[in-house]
Amino acid sequence: MTARPRCAACDRTLPKGRYRLCFGGCGARLCRKPHIPHCTDVHAGQCPNYQPQGAS
């Protein structure tokens, strides 16, 4: 049996096909659960491709 993928930000198991990929393009899988803060926001600080707005 293979392990289920986990959210890169909150470490919850991800149901098959029920995740979103990182907007920065690093390939991290993030859950779509309605908790605060959202995993897309948490992962932005961890993403190696994150570029803050206004940074040169």
Side-chain angles (χ1 to χ4, degrees):
M1 181 180 274
T2 58
R4 292 195 105 152
R6 299 184 80 80
C7 177
C10 70
D11 204 37
R12 293 180 183 183
T13 57
L14 298 170
K16 187 174 183 178
R18 299 290 299 164
Y19 60 86
R20 63 177 53 138
L21 293 175
C22 172
F23 294 122
C26 74
R29 294 176 178 159
L30 304 168
C31 74
R32 298 163 76 178
K33 302 279 186 204
H35 54 87
I36 304 295
H38 294 285
C39 288
T40 51
D41 297 334
V42 172
H43 178 69
Q46 304 167 349
C47 182
N49 296 341
Y50 177 65
Q51 295 281 327
Q53 298 251 340
S56 300

